[in-house]
Structure formats: structure tokens, C-alpha cells
Amino acid sequence: MPRVGLSPDAVVDAAVAVIDADGPDALSLAAVASRTGVATPSLYKHVSSLDALRTLVQLRVITELGDELARAVLGRSTDDALRALMNAYHGYAVTHPNRYAALPQQPRSDPALAKAGDRAIEVILAVLRGYGLEGSAAIHATRCVRAAMHGFASLEISGGFQLAEDLGESHRLLVNTVVAGFGR
């Protein structure tokens, strides 16, 4: 019998907690079992393997990020929406740096991950439609926006910005530069 209160979602919650505390490399079935108070074999009643658990965690994280982006841009358009999108992305990444590190950069390997990834990309594409971008132009623009958001967040999280100037000001400059580029 599965432990009362333990479910696949509770196992994923525990896995995310492990990642939040110690990073994606710390995720193991033993760490999750310890956090949930069960023996490691008991987890197999809820997840089939560590790889399956990693996929469920990635799905959770990509869904959270997509939800954050969607909430941020809701009711906004053009420059306001693009600013909100970039700020929400940055906010999620720096608030949850270890979860962010667990994000799959190529979610096409799993249909559920691909669907969640597509949803996040659709939010970006919707913002860019406000600038009249469609088709190939929108894909190129999406890549540029993602590269700017991911690059800044990744560098900040990894400590890549060591100079004394204010990081918030640097991020505002990046956002304003991207917005100005699309506003032309």
C-alpha cells in the first residue's frame, strides 16, 4: 500500500525541494525518500525510475515558468507585455536558481515536456504578435528574446557578473534595449 499522503505529486514536491536545497545534481531517489520519510523502494509505487522523476520535475518547472510568463503578460501588449515577460522570466530564474538549472533546454524528447515548452513559447509568440511578427520572423525574434532572457539569468545565477555596478540597472538596460529593438 502506498503511504498515506504520498502521491506522485507529493514525490515531485519532495524532488523539487531537494533541487531547491541542493541543486539538480543532488536529485536521487534516496534523497527524495529521506525527505518523504519512506524507504527508497516505496517511491516506485509513485514513480517508475529516477529518469521518470527527473522528467516530472522538468515538467513541473517548465509549467511553473510558463504560468509565470502567462500571468505577467495577461492584459498587456507590445512594450509593456515584453517588459513584463522579460521581468517575469528573470524573476523566476533568480528566485528559483536550482529549479531554473533543471529546466530542459530541449524539451522535445518527451511529449508532455514538448507540450509544456510549446505553451511557454506561445506566450512569447503572443507578445511578439503585438509587434506584427508572424511566421519565420516571429521564430527568429523568439530566439532573440529567449537568448537575452536566458543569457542574463544564467550569467547572474552563476556569478558571472562580478563588477560593482548594480545588476538591477543592467537588467533594466537589457530589457529597454530589447524593447527598443522591437519598437522600431
Side-chain angles (χ1 to χ4, degrees), residues 13-65:
D13 290 344
V16 169
V18 168
I19 288 171
D20 283 345
D22 301 315
D25 292 340
L27 183 60
S28 69
L29 291 176
V32 173
S34 174
R35 190 168 281 274
T36 58
V38 301
T40 301
S42 297
L43 294 177
Y44 289 106
K45 296 173 184 163
H46 305 286
V47 294
S48 62
S49 66
L50 180 58
D51 284 341
L53 180 57
R54 280 194 174 107
T55 299
L56 291 171
V57 167
Q58 291 174 333
L59 182 59
R60 167 83 59 90
V61 172
I62 202 167
T63 300
E64 284 177 354
L65 178 60

Side-chain angles (χ1 to χ4, degrees), residues 34 48 85 111-112 119 142 157:
S34 174
S48 62
L85 174 87
R119 181 176 172 270
T142 297
I157 290 165

Side-chain angles (χ1 to χ4, degrees), residues 104-141:
Q105 293 304 313
Q106 298 176 346
R108 296 269 164 235
S109 61
D110 177 272
L113 288 175
K115 184 177 179 180
D118 288 347
R119 181 176 172 270
I121 294 299
E122 279 300 320
V123 174
I124 300 170
L125 288 168
V127 168
L128 296 175
R129 277 192 293 277
Y131 293 99
L133 296 171
E134 298 282 345
S136 182
I139 298 301
H140 293 302

